[in-house]
Amino acid sequence: MPSGSPEVTSGPPLVEMRDIHKSFGGVHAVEGVSISVMAGEVVGIVGHNGAGKSTLIKILSGAYQMDDGAIHVNGNPVGIGNPRDAKRHGIETIYQDLALHDNLDAVANFFIGREIHTRYGTLDNAAMERAAREVINRINPSFVSLRDPVLSLSGGQRQSIAIARAIYFNAKVLIMDEPTAALGQRETRAFKDLVLRLKSAGIGMLVISHDIHDVFDLSDRITVMSNGRQVGTRHTADVTKDQVLGMIILGKLPEEGTEEELAQLH
Amino acid sequence: MNEHVGMGGGMSAGGRDPESVKSRWQSTQAQFFGIGAFYVAVVIFFALTSDYFFSYSNALNILTNVTVIGIVALGQTLAIVSGGFDLSVSGVVPLGAVTFVIFGNAEMATPAAMLLAVLVGAAVGVCNGLIVTKVGINPLIATLGTLSIAAGLAYALSNGVTIPMKNIEVGVLAERTYGRVPYYVVTLIGLSLVIWFAMRFTVIGRRIYAIGGNREASRLAGLRVDEITIAIYATCAGLAAFAGVVVSSQLLAGSATVGADAALTSIASVILGGAALFGGVGGVGGTLLGVLVLGTIANGMALLMVPAFYQQIATGVILLLAVGFGRFRAVMSG
């Protein structure tokens, strides 16, 4: 149980999102949600489909622009207008669909947008392959096909690429949207192991997951969202899985639910 | 990242044996080799059926005839690989042809007239790029609109008549150099090498493939997708305008009636050369092969006294066969 782990430091959060609002047309996808991540902390975000989890993290990763609210990095307000801004602040994202280029090989996917090049603007493929091989093999020792289009790779291999490139470029905050969805049991265990290593390296993580067990295994704190709103945020050590499920299903804090409502959950 | 960050268990999903890697590589290259083999067969067929076909001067004829479409197809390769299309080349070729002669007839230095004509074309391309990226209109529709506008402009500027070059030295590109090869053929080869190198070995080339492969993932990776797209359309239309300059140099006149087949033939060549219709796959080598196949068949049929309209039919049949064959292969290999 990593909760209350000593790696979580004091001081301003690595990243803080305050009172975030986002609408698509007339639909309020996110309404007044606030979350923060400390160095070495894992914050889980849970909720039904359409609760606004992915919208929230896509605002932080620069994929969407918020309508209202504020984002602070190390206590300083920052503007994140596009994915480049987020990366500049050390915020890296592993998207649910992995956002890979199927027509390119693993090395090209690894470095896309941050290619190593000579001063003439030509690609330094040898240097990129060395770096990518080293990092990807640390995550997945059996990964060999760095020069095949990633279309031909398995779900686990594709995920290795997405994870490897997210951690390689000095990430301070990692956003992971359903990171274990495409993984088998063994791979999921390996992934959890990686998260612990990243924690001890002081990296803050925001993890979206449908799997309540994964969230309890990984997170120091859990934020529950429902219909675009924040039901609440609790330290993992202070709540039970049933209580969190109750928050997801009822959209209320455990102390707010009536006896009958709580009884219906079982 | 720190050394100790790594996954103990490893995310294995089965290693790949060298055989499957090899077969995969072969299947990606298959269309290229398939069309290459087809080209050899075409050459052999015409060499056997026409006495004149297999000769240096006829090879030169073929190169001469494919230059204009070849230059257009280079730009079209960029557009298609990046996930777009450019139909407007059919309007930009005549626009380039007419503006080049108008500038040349205005006593302007020939290189300056060429540059201005290319810039006029590039301006149309910037409009294409802006319409596609900022307005969000599908490239086929966007460039169909600008095709009509550019072609109309070419007619308006020339009053619908062919403008002769006052000074035939303006048509310098059509002059012949070593081995009777016209300068414009040399130019095609030079442009091909530059674009091949850029697509294959440079950062911008890598990003063009990335955008064609997955536009949204490119945006999320931090690429300036819109800016790159606009630059691609500007380059494509600039090349089309230069192809118009070549036509005018060949004719020693500027006419709004040239280049109407540029869009269809260039797209057919690019697809014939193995490019994916929806982007991310393709290249200069395949495109040039596609251009040569269509040009050689047209030449051979002309030598065999086959009426020109049958060439059109042949072009269509070959395109459908090539794309259909690729589709068949994709289905068979799952």
Side-chain angles (χ1 to χ4, degrees):
Chain A
M1 196 58 106
S3 48
S5 37
E7 295 90 349
V8 179
T9 57
S10 54
L14 284 180
V15 162
E16 189 177 8
M17 299 178 82
R18 291 183 190 163
D19 199 22
I20 304 294
H21 290 260
K22 174 71 181 177
S23 300
F24 294 103
V27 182
H28 298 287
V30 174
E31 280 189 277
V33 177
S34 300
I35 55 168
S36 62
V37 190
M38 312 294 287
E41 187 185 34
V42 179
V43 176
I45 305 177
V46 295
H48 284 305
N49 283 331
K53 308 174 304 249
S54 285
T55 304
L56 183 72
I57 61 108
K58 281 185 173 174
I59 289 168
L60 188 58
S61 70
Y64 294 155
Q65 272 72 65
M66 61 190 169
D67 299 331
D68 198 17
I71 297 174
H72 293 245
V73 173
N74 292 322
N76 304 313
V78 296
I80 295 182
N82 57 50
R84 282 189 301 285
D85 291 342
K87 287 171 195 289
R88 204 174 307 126
H89 292 299
I91 301 167
E92 293 284 340
T93 310
I94 301 162
Y95 292 96
Q96 186 170 7
D97 69 358
L98 304 179
L100 295 177
H101 295 86
D102 281 339
N103 58 327
L104 302 180
D105 63 23
V107 178
N109 269 286
F110 192 99
F111 279 100
I112 193 67
R114 296 184 274 213
E115 299 85 355
I116 302 177
H117 56 83
T118 66
R119 74 185 123 137
Y120 308 109
T122 55
L123 297 161
D124 190 342
N125 284 312
M128 285 192 278
E129 179 159 354
R130 268 198 306 278
R133 182 179 296 284
E134 209 251 304
V135 182
I136 293 175
N137 279 346
R138 235 189 288 151
I139 289 173
N140 185 347
S142 66
F143 197 114
V144 289
S145 38
L146 270 89
R147 282 294 177 194
D148 278 336
V150 301
L151 178 67
S152 61
L153 302 182
S154 72
Q157 288 175 318
R158 292 164 63 88
Q159 192 128 23
S160 309
I161 301 167
I163 295 171
R165 72 172 172 188
I167 62 177
Y168 178 71
F169 297 95
N170 294 316
K172 295 183 180 67
V173 176
L174 268 182
I175 301 170
M176 306 187 237
D177 194 350
E178 299 288 355
T180 56
L183 302 183
Q185 274 191 346
R186 206 167 79 86
E187 293 168 341
T188 302
R189 270 200 306 281
F191 172 78
K192 288 177 179 174
D193 194 39
L194 174 69
V195 169
L196 293 181
R197 289 160 196 269
L198 291 168
K199 267 172 77 73
S200 58
I203 291 172
M205 281 164 276
L206 276 169
V207 180
I208 290 183
S209 181
H210 272 95
D211 189 326
I212 195 87
H213 305 292
D214 281 354
V215 172
F216 264 76
D217 280 354
L218 295 172
S219 309
D220 300 295
R221 286 187 296 148
I222 299 173
T223 290
V224 179
M225 289 181 68
S226 178
N227 293 321
R229 293 171 186 278
Q230 187 168 13
V231 178
T233 301
R234 289 288 182 269
H235 283 282
T236 310
D238 300 341
V239 283
T240 65
K241 287 178 186 173
D242 276 353
Q243 284 176 320
V244 171
L245 279 173
M247 289 166 77
I248 294 172
I249 295 166
L250 301 174
K252 292 176 181 173
L253 291 172
E255 52 272 26
E256 293 169 351
T258 64
E259 289 293 327
E260 304 92 86
E261 283 175 331
L262 292 173
Q264 277 172 6
L265 294 177
H266 296 283
Chain B
M1 254 333 293
N2 308 4
E3 285 302 319
H4 57 270
V5 173
M7 245 184 199
M11 289 183 164
S12 74
R16 297 165 51 80
D17 59 300
E19 269 317 299
S20 72
V21 173
K22 200 174 146 202
S23 68
R24 207 200 129 66
W25 184 81
Q26 283 171 341
S27 102
T28 8
Q29 304 293 318
Q31 170 114 1
F32 186 79
F33 289 127
I35 197 74
F38 178 69
Y39 185 59
V40 172
V42 166
V43 169
I44 291 172
F45 173 77
F46 284 123
L48 293 176
T49 49
S50 164
D51 292 338
Y52 177 72
F53 178 82
F54 204 73
S55 62
Y56 175 70
S57 42
N58 193 46
L60 210 53
N61 270 343
I62 294 172
L63 276 180
T64 302
N65 291 336
V66 300
T67 297
V68 170
I69 218 64
I71 293 169
V72 176
L74 288 176
Q76 196 69 257
T77 306
L78 296 172
I80 290 179
V81 167
S82 73
F85 272 107
D86 192 352
L87 298 180
S88 76
V89 292
S90 279
V92 175
V93 170
L95 185 61
V98 169
T99 48
F100 171 59
V101 174
I102 289 174
F103 290 132
N105 284 355
E107 308 294 323
M108 191 176 280
T110 305
M114 283 182 195
L115 184 66
L116 270 175
V118 169
L119 287 179
V120 167
V124 176
V126 169
C127 293
N128 287 336
L130 287 172
I131 296 169
V132 168
T133 57
K134 304 298 180 189
V135 189
I137 294 177
N138 176 288
L140 279 177
I141 307 301
T143 59
L144 188 61
T146 52
L147 184 175
S148 199
I149 293 168
L153 269 176
Y155 275 103
L157 289 171
S158 61
N159 287 320
V161 297
T162 300
I163 310 171
M165 269 182 202
K166 283 185 195 162
N167 179 357
I168 58 163
E169 284 174 16
V170 173
V172 58
L173 278 179
E175 278 174 28
R176 289 171 181 242
T177 169
Y178 300 108
R180 294 183 289 134
V181 179
Y183 278 111
Y184 54 74
V185 173
V186 178
T187 316
L188 169 67
I189 294 166
L191 287 170
S192 301
L193 285 173
V194 169
I195 293 173
W196 170 77
F197 182 85
M199 291 184 80
R200 186 83 178 69
F201 297 108
T202 69
V203 172
I204 182 74
R206 170 70 52 84
R207 292 178 175 184
I208 290 171
Y209 281 98
I211 290 173
N214 189 336
R215 203 173 178 82
E216 179 60 12
S218 300
R219 196 177 74 84
L220 294 176
L223 299 192
R224 297 177 189 274
V225 174
D226 288 359
E227 287 87 336
I228 294 173
T229 303
I230 293 166
I232 287 167
Y233 279 104
T235 308
C236 180
L239 284 166
F242 184 71
V245 170
V246 170
V247 178
S248 287
S249 305
Q250 291 172 335
L251 302 175
L252 296 178
S255 165
T257 60
V258 301
D261 65 337
L264 287 183
T265 314
S266 65
I267 291 171
S269 303
V270 174
I271 300 299
L272 210 50
L277 208 47
F278 298 105
V281 178
V284 170
T287 293
L288 290 181
L289 205 45
V291 168
L292 273 177
V293 165
L294 296 182
T296 304
I297 288 172
N299 170 275
M301 289 175 88
L303 288 179
L304 295 179
M305 310 286 196
V306 179
F309 41 82
Y310 285 115
Q311 291 170 23
Q312 247 180 307
I313 297 173
T315 302
V317 170
I318 289 159
L319 182 64
L320 289 175
L321 283 179
V323 175
F325 175 69
R327 181 92 200 98
F328 175 74
R329 220 185 43 240
V331 170
M332 293 311 283
S333 63

